[in-house]
Amino acid sequence: DNSNYQFIAKGNQIKFAGFMLAYIEGNDEEKITENQDKLLPLVEKNTLLNLKTLEATQHFTKPPARYTEASLVKKLESEGIGRPSTYAPTIATIQAREYVVLNQEKKLVPTQMGKIVNDFLVENFAEIVDLGFTAKIEEELDEIAIGKLDWKEPLKQFYKKFVKEIEHISQHA
């Protein structure tokens, strides 16, 4: 009752066998028994159960795969960020500033400096580094380029928020 551990039982309970009736009939008796052993009985919440066996396992999650230059370009494209003419300069800039380095497998790996800069930007400029914000700004820039939108209003809105953030950071530095 005072345990810090939570135990989970995983299994299936078949309420309607459907096609499995035909499927199980095609198996030999050993397979039928094997399948039946994997089924769990119906257990209601807060039911006290008798422990037969206990298996301790440890599970490690894997971090997401690192981007290659090509996979980063694909991600930027799928998020609507950048243009073909900006992908190479963007990747070159983050490498030149040593925010990332290419490892032996040609994966972009963040450096300590890159992690510090990223943490700072996410903490202080979360809205600006948000993928949705960047995509929205790019759409507005496209509308400005074709003359559908005047450049002054989006710039004014951005600058107003940006100055507040800078002032806030300056006061707490």
Side-chain angles (χ1 to χ4, degrees):
D1 292 310
N2 294 327
S3 175
N4 292 325
Y5 301 100
Q6 179 180 2
F7 296 99
I8 298 171
K10 293 183 181 181
N12 297 309
Q13 183 178 26
I14 300 169
K15 297 208 178 215
F16 175 72
F19 78 92
M20 290 175 46
L21 287 172
Y23 180 73
I24 290 177
E25 285 179 19
N27 288 337
D28 55 27
E29 288 299 315
E30 186 178 310
K31 291 254 183 189
I32 294 171
T33 307
E34 191 178 299
N35 287 337
Q36 288 173 340
D37 287 344
K38 291 181 182 176
L39 300 178
L40 292 176
L42 181 62
V43 178
E44 298 295 323
K45 188 175 181 177
N46 297 322
T47 301
L48 293 177
L49 302 172
N50 294 324
L51 177 66
K52 288 185 179 179
T53 62
L54 179 64
E55 181 181 329
T57 59
Q58 189 171 10
H59 177 72
F60 294 99
T61 58
K62 292 182 179 180
R66 300 277 183 213
Y67 288 110
T68 61
E69 291 178 356
S71 66
L72 180 56
V73 168
K74 273 186 159 180
K75 178 66 174 174
L76 293 171
E77 287 174 337
S78 72
E79 295 290 340
I81 297 172
R83 300 289 176 267
S85 62
T86 63
Y87 297 139
T90 300
I91 292 170
T93 299
I94 62 174
Q95 289 176 320
R97 293 184 181 167
E98 297 182 355
Y99 297 151
V100 296
V101 293
L102 277 176
N103 68 9
Q104 290 177 340
E105 293 89 36
K106 302 292 184 193
K107 306 279 184 168
L108 295 167
V109 179
T111 62
Q112 188 63 30
M113 175 61 77
K115 291 175 184 178
I116 291 168
V117 169
N118 181 70
D119 291 347
F120 176 81
L121 292 173
V122 169
E123 183 180 332
N124 295 292
F125 300 100
E127 183 181 345
I128 293 171
V129 297
D130 178 71
L131 295 177
F133 174 81
T134 304
K136 178 181 164 269
I137 290 293
E138 296 227 1
E139 286 175 16
E140 288 180 353
L141 291 172
D142 288 343
E143 289 181 9
I144 291 167
I146 61 174
K148 277 183 142 182
L149 184 64
D150 182 43
W151 62 271
K152 294 174 188 165
E153 190 56 33
L155 183 62
K156 189 169 138 183
Q157 288 176 8
F158 171 79
Y159 189 73
K160 190 175 171 182
K161 289 181 185 178
F162 189 65
V163 167
K164 282 184 183 178
E165 291 295 325
I166 295 292
E167 288 171 353
H168 177 75
I169 292 167
S170 297
Q171 289 171 358
H172 293 91

